[in-house]
Amino acid sequence: MVKRQLPKINELAELMQFKKPQLNRRKARLDKALTIWDLRELAKKNTPVGPFDYTDGAAESEVSIQRARQAFQDIEFHPGILRDVSQVDTSTTITGGKSAYPFGIAPTGFSRMMQTEGEVAGARAAARCGVPFSLSTMGTTSIEDVAAAAPNGRNWFQLYVMKDRDATYDLVHRAYSSGFDTLFFTVDTPVAGQRLRDTYNGFSIPPQLTPMTVIGAIPKYHWWFDFLTTPTLEFASLTKTGGTVSELIDTIFDPSINDEDLRIIRDLWPGKLVVKGVQTLEAATKLADFGVDGIVLSNHGGRQLDRAPVPFELLPTVAREVGAQTEIMIDTGIMHGADIVASIALGADFTLVGRAWLYGLMAGGEAGVDRMLEILTKQLTRTMQLLQVTSVDELGPQHVTQLERLNVRQRISREEEVSRP
């Protein structure tokens, strides 16, 4: 029989200490978000379908982004034992400067379309966290305004080569004059990928009012209030701003860019030059031989060529072959701090998060980006502690095994194919 007694008043008093309520509704919602996926759900509730699907979607059947995310799931960690991990150094050096964590915010276009604070929110939050922020050529905040918003942060600029070469070169000069220290020369967008969600939604820049958008705006009135009561939404670095995303890209970007354009930009840019959009070992080797300061293994978040190579799966081979010659970054599919840890362990020097920061932005503006960074940094730190490593530099291939899901058949050379009977 269990012995029973009357409750003690002092014990009841301890149990009856209720948590102080959070009166700030935005903060209360953000505090409940424990993962990037939670922020995504908040973002979906806050944002009209067009802008949300532009962020969330990818090209064609969206196979590339699905495979990229799956690749991060298909790993096995190998932790050590009996190591003091009460203190963990998460900092690293990339493109000649420090970062408090081995990741930064990737360049994303139209950020003020997702939430009116846009790139300013991202740059400020990144500076507070001590990580770099990347501004896109397709950004909706000017180079100078981002620099003013985060004067003590590390700001990077992502460059598309446009048909108007003078305008392209002017962006390079402006970025360096504004204190941006790294340039991302992007090579994976000769033409626009087909993003079916955008076509189905009739998504355009700026958004156009139709019966469907009006109906869809009713539960998202905060977004529309911000859109209608803040400065006109337009591209800060482009003169043409109207039309669908595909129309803009195909009108403005130059599909004829080649090696000479890279040489010209290298001569114009005094800072660190990184080529973004590398998807093969052959391309990585070519760029390393050219002498770029870094490369980004990326399939553009699956938003260009569908069924493109998965950067995380390509990483170990590229790191082994060219890691001693140039710095290697990786993006596409990162949704958890453990994804970042696995990338560093398999040879990346740095990682970039794109959709994750936009989910945070849509979930709660600048406070949402802060929450996104808090989630990722806690996940990253905890994963390192559970692996029992005390610094980023200690991470290596011994800590991660990539599990095989897709059996890739050996590629047959053209000569072998022709020689077959």
Side-chain angles (χ1 to χ4, degrees):
M1 297 293 291
V2 176
K3 183 179 179 181
R4 298 187 183 278
Q5 63 183 28
L6 291 174
K8 297 180 181 179
I9 299 300
N10 61 333
E11 291 179 352
L12 282 175
E14 290 181 8
L15 294 173
M16 297 294 287
Q17 294 180 14
F18 294 103
K19 183 180 179 181
K20 184 178 179 180
Q22 175 55 254
L23 301 180
N24 184 318
R25 292 178 60 193
R26 172 182 284 187
K27 189 175 189 310
R29 289 193 297 268
L30 292 173
D31 286 347
K32 290 181 180 178
L34 303 182
T35 68
I36 302 302
W37 291 106
D38 291 340
L39 290 178
R40 178 187 177 276
E41 288 305 307
L42 281 177
K44 191 172 184 178
K45 292 177 181 178
N46 291 348
T47 314
V49 65
F52 177 81
D53 273 357
Y54 175 77
T55 299
D56 194 60
E60 305 282 355
S61 301
E62 305 191 359
V63 170
S64 288
I65 185 60
Q66 294 166 15
R67 287 179 179 171
R69 286 174 172 165
Q70 186 64 56
F72 284 114
Q73 299 295 314
D74 293 344
I75 65 167
E76 182 177 87
F77 281 124
H78 308 297
I81 61 169
L82 298 176
R83 300 202 63 201
D84 179 0
V85 288
S86 56
Q87 300 293 325
V88 174
D89 182 5
T90 61
S91 67
T92 191
T93 300
I94 189 71
T95 62
K98 293 286 289 184
S99 178
Y101 298 90
F103 74 93
I105 290 181
T108 56
F110 324 136
S111 299
R112 283 190 57 234
M113 171 72 74
M114 314 316 158
Q115 200 273 349
T116 192
E117 297 171 50
E119 291 89 356
V120 166
R124 286 175 174 169
R128 279 192 295 273
C129 187
V131 300
F133 172 82
S134 309
L135 175 65
S136 170
T137 296
M138 305 293 281
T140 46
T141 304
S142 72
I143 292 168
E144 292 78 12
D145 286 347
V146 166
N152 298 318
R154 285 196 71 190
N155 295 318
W156 296 350
F157 187 71
Q158 177 254 355
L159 181 74
Y160 290 113
V161 174
M162 297 178 283
K163 293 175 182 176
D164 185 343
R165 289 298 196 273
D166 289 338
T168 301
Y169 303 154
D170 181 59
L171 292 176
V172 173
H173 293 305
R174 285 171 56 194
Y176 189 73
S177 297
S178 297
F180 288 60
D181 62 72
T182 298
L183 186 75
F184 284 161
F185 183 94
T186 301
V187 296
D188 60 8
T189 313
V191 297
Q194 186 180 31
R195 300 169 194 174
L196 296 178
R197 290 203 216 182
D198 296 346
T199 304
Y200 292 142
N201 292 330
F203 181 67
S204 64
I205 309 294
Q208 302 297 310
L209 290 175
T210 67
M212 289 304 296
T213 57
V214 171
I215 293 171
I218 295 172
K220 323 284 186 180
Y221 62 91
H222 285 296
W223 187 95
W224 282 101
F225 177 79
D226 286 340
F227 173 70
L228 295 171
T229 59
T230 54
T232 302
L233 182 64
E234 58 186 3
F235 297 108
S237 299
L238 306 177
T239 55
K240 179 178 174 59
T241 60
T244 67
V245 176
S246 295
E247 289 169 347
L248 285 166
I249 290 175
D250 290 342
T251 299
I252 296 169
F253 295 175
D254 192 344
S256 71
I257 64 169
N258 53 41
D259 294 348
E260 183 59 26
D261 290 295
L262 178 59
R263 293 188 185 94
I264 292 171
I265 297 301
R266 169 74 283 179
D267 290 339
L268 288 176
W269 179 252
K272 298 292 186 178
L273 179 65
V274 175
V275 176
K276 186 176 186 296
V278 178
Q279 300 181 63
T280 66
L281 175 60
E282 179 185 12
T285 302
K286 173 181 177 179
L287 293 166
D289 292 342
F290 179 85
V292 298
D293 298 297
I295 59 174
V296 183
L297 301 181
S298 170
N299 63 28
H300 212 103
R303 301 167 69 78
Q304 289 300 108
L305 175 66
D306 202 15
R307 299 174 179 83
V310 174
F312 183 63
E313 293 178 348
L314 182 63
L315 173 61
T317 302
V318 172
R320 182 175 62 250
E321 297 298 326
V322 304
Q325 295 175 258
T326 191
E327 292 183 322
I328 300 171
M329 305 187 202
I330 183 175
D331 70 18
T332 304
I334 293 174
M335 293 285 284
H336 194 284
D339 302 341
I340 298 169
V341 171
S343 298
I344 301 302
L346 290 181
D349 296 292
F350 204 69
T351 62
L352 298 165
V353 296
R355 286 181 179 86
W357 97 264
L358 291 178
Y359 291 146
L361 179 69
M362 291 185 285
E366 189 170 330
V369 185
D370 284 332
R371 182 59 177 157
M372 179 277 301
L373 292 168
E374 182 182 14
I375 289 170
L376 283 183
T377 55
K378 285 185 176 180
Q379 291 172 339
L380 184 154
T381 303
R382 183 170 56 251
T383 302
M384 289 178 61
Q385 289 176 307
L386 290 172
L387 281 175
Q388 300 203 32
V389 297
T390 60
S391 71
V392 170
D393 291 339
E394 288 183 13
L395 289 167
Q398 70 274 19
H399 293 111
V400 182
T401 295
Q402 289 176 301
L403 306 178
E404 187 177 82
R405 178 176 292 266
L406 296 176
N407 291 314
V408 181
R409 292 186 300 173
Q410 186 71 30
R411 292 181 176 84
I412 301 173
S413 70
R414 182 63 179 167
E415 291 76 17
E416 289 174 325
E417 188 175 349
V418 170
S419 66
R420 286 183 170 183

